[in-house]
């Protein structure tokens, strides 16, 4: 059975892909709307939702507009970690079973990871520039995430440097598993190194209030649905490309 | 300029290019990628349909 012929709840995979892609667009738009219209603004590490006096006039909220990047930057970063799990999982499955499909799944998962990693870096750099006044700081979270970025790019460099299909898949699987080890390290580094400039957002006692959490989780759900959709589209594309190759070979015979 | 407005605009609008830039890059990246792969998928599907038709046409006289 090819990828596109799978069915769930009476609907084909194609239908599900477009449903989830549409849902991802709706959820991310809802997160965006909440971010700009409902979540209070933040000053440093504290939510400010009180009257302040600026120039002798009481003003509701001292706005730190740049913090609004958080509601998409963090879900994109978290998604990059979560999608990268599939690179490692499929790498392990390939090394055990030696079936091409797992290599294909690992490669596509890494491709989606690369997209999220690049977007995390781009949004993070803009945030860093405004908040800290510099484009880049060698602090633990940024450094470990930078290493992760290089490893994800390195995964494709490695693949392109090996011609033999079997060897390429084996090396890529091993590299993908090793590269993934950096993901939990990068995720937990703000807890392991408390001096990190990145605050621990989810902590005992709470770091976010409910409206912030809703916006965050809407964005998170949207990003994960988006990741699943594009992963499935790429898988389907690869499946058809393979069938085209087989059909072309049949024509040439 | 009104000092109150100046203070408000300074605190709010200073960050605006960075926030808007981040969201623009994000949406461009996500939906640009989705558009690109969907278009590519439709392309290979068309190619497959053409090739499969050729294969079946070639096989027809023998069947």
């Amino acid at each position: 059975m090819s990828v596109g012929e799978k069915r769930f709840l009476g609907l084909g995979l194609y239908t599900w892909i477009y449903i989830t892609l549409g849902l991802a667009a709706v959820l991310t738009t809802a997160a965006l709307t909440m971010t700009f219209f409902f979540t209070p603004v933040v000053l440093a590490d504290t939510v400010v939702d009180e009257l302040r006096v600026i120039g002798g006039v009481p003003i509701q909220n001292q706005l730190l507009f740049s913090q609004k990047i958080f509601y998409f930057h963090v879900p994109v970063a978290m998604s990059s970690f979560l999608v990268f799990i599939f690179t490692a999982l499929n790498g392990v499955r390939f090394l055990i079973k030696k079936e091409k499909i797992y290599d294909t799944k690992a490669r596509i998962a890494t491709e989606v990871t690369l997209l999220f990693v690049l977007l995390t870096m781009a949004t993070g750099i803009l945030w860093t520039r405004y908040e800290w006044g510099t484009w880049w700081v060698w602090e633990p979270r940024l450094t470990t995430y930078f290493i992760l970025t290089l490893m994800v790019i390195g995964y494709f460099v490695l693949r392109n440097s090996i011609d033999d299909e079997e060897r390429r898949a084996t090396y890529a699987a091993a590299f993908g598993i090793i590269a993934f080890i950096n993901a939990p390290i990068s995720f937990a580094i703000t807890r392991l190194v408390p001096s990190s400039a990145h605050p621990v957002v989810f902590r005992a006692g709470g770091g976010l209030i409910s409206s912030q959490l809703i916006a965050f989780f809407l964005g998170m759900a949207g990003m994960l649905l988006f990741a699943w959709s594009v992963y499935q589209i790429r898988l389907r594309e690869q499946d058809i490309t393979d069938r085209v190759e087989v059909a072309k070979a049949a024509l040439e015979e | 300029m009104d000092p109150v407005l100046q203070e408000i605009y300074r605190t709010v609008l200073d960050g605006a290019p960075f926030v808007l830039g981040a969201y623009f890059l994000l949406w461009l990246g996500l939906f640009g990628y989705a558009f690109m792969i969907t278009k590519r998928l439709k392309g290979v599907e068309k190619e497959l349909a053409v090739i499969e038709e050729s294969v079946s046409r070639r096989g027809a006289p023998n069947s």
Side-chain angles (χ1 to χ4, degrees):
Chain A
M1 185 183 271
S2 75
V3 176
E5 289 158 359
K6 286 179 186 168
R7 296 188 79 79
F8 182 67
L9 293 177
L11 296 174
L13 184 65
Y14 248 148
T15 313
W16 278 112
I17 288 171
Y18 289 115
I19 287 174
T20 52
L21 202 57
L23 206 55
V26 169
L27 287 173
T28 49
T29 306
L32 192 76
T33 309
M34 275 218 72
T35 298
F36 287 99
F37 294 101
F38 298 103
T39 61
V41 288
V42 172
L43 178 61
D45 205 16
T46 316
V47 175
V48 177
D49 198 8
E50 63 195 28
L51 280 177
R52 296 175 71 92
V53 178
I54 298 174
V57 177
I59 301 292
Q60 187 87 21
N61 298 332
Q62 170 88 11
L63 305 176
L64 263 185
F65 200 54
S66 65
Q67 191 269 343
K68 300 286 181 196
I69 295 174
F70 165 87
Y71 299 98
F72 269 31
H73 169 72
V74 179
V76 169
M78 299 268 275
S79 300
S80 72
F81 292 139
L82 292 172
V83 179
F84 207 25
I85 291 174
F86 289 91
T87 299
L89 277 179
N90 285 302
V92 170
R93 286 163 91 184
F94 176 81
L95 291 178
I96 294 168
K97 297 188 174 179
K98 294 282 176 190
E99 287 175 20
K100 192 189 166 194
I101 183 69
Y102 297 119
D103 175 51
T104 305
K105 284 181 175 179
R107 175 168 54 81
I108 290 172
T110 317
E111 190 182 298
V112 179
T113 304
L114 179 63
L115 172 75
F116 281 110
V117 160
L118 293 178
L119 289 174
T120 303
M121 290 296 262
T123 52
I125 282 170
L126 286 170
W127 196 359
T128 305
R129 177 68 184 86
Y130 183 71
E131 287 289 332
W132 302 338
T134 177
W135 292 104
W136 188 262
V137 179
W138 290 105
E139 61 94 38
R141 169 58 68 76
L142 290 187
T143 306
T144 50
Y145 203 80
F146 181 65
I147 293 167
L148 184 81
T149 307
L150 290 182
M151 290 186 111
V152 172
I153 294 168
Y155 177 90
F156 292 103
V157 173
L158 177 73
R159 289 194 75 95
N160 289 333
S161 66
I162 303 171
D163 287 330
D164 180 67
E165 204 174 304
E166 172 91 28
R167 230 159 53 95
R168 180 174 59 214
T170 307
Y171 285 12
F175 187 83
I177 295 163
I178 294 166
F180 173 72
I181 294 169
N182 193 33
I185 295 172
S186 182
F187 176 76
I189 199 76
T190 50
R191 287 170 172 80
L192 298 171
V193 186
S195 63
S196 170
H198 270 84
V200 178
V201 177
F202 296 100
R203 57 180 184 265
L208 299 176
I209 62 167
S210 58
S211 65
Q212 291 176 308
L213 279 173
I214 293 168
F216 173 80
F217 283 117
L218 282 174
M220 189 75 230
M223 287 304 158
L224 289 177
L225 281 175
F226 180 88
W228 184 85
S229 308
V230 292
Y231 174 78
Q232 291 296 338
I233 291 172
R234 284 288 293 114
L235 211 55
R236 168 81 176 149
E237 185 200 336
Q238 191 58 53
D239 179 53
I240 294 176
T241 306
D242 290 345
R243 281 162 64 187
V244 166
E245 293 304 318
V246 170
K248 273 182 182 170
L251 268 179
E252 283 166 11
E253 277 171 9
Chain B
M1 189 177 177
D2 185 290
V4 176
L5 285 178
Q6 198 174 9
E7 178 69 4
I8 292 170
Y9 293 152
R10 190 187 64 75
T11 52
V12 175
L13 293 180
D14 260 11
F18 297 96
V19 175
L20 298 179
Y23 276 93
F24 174 74
L25 278 177
L26 202 73
W27 284 80
L28 188 75
L30 291 178
F31 288 96
Y33 179 73
F35 177 75
M36 188 185 79
I37 60 170
T38 310
K39 203 176 158 195
R40 227 164 51 188
L41 174 63
K42 285 186 176 154
V44 289
E45 274 181 333
K46 272 184 196 163
E47 198 182 349
L48 179 67
V50 169
I51 291 172
E52 280 181 343
E53 200 185 311
S54 304
V55 171
S56 63
R57 255 209 316 265
R58 215 175 66 161
N62 301 330
S63 60

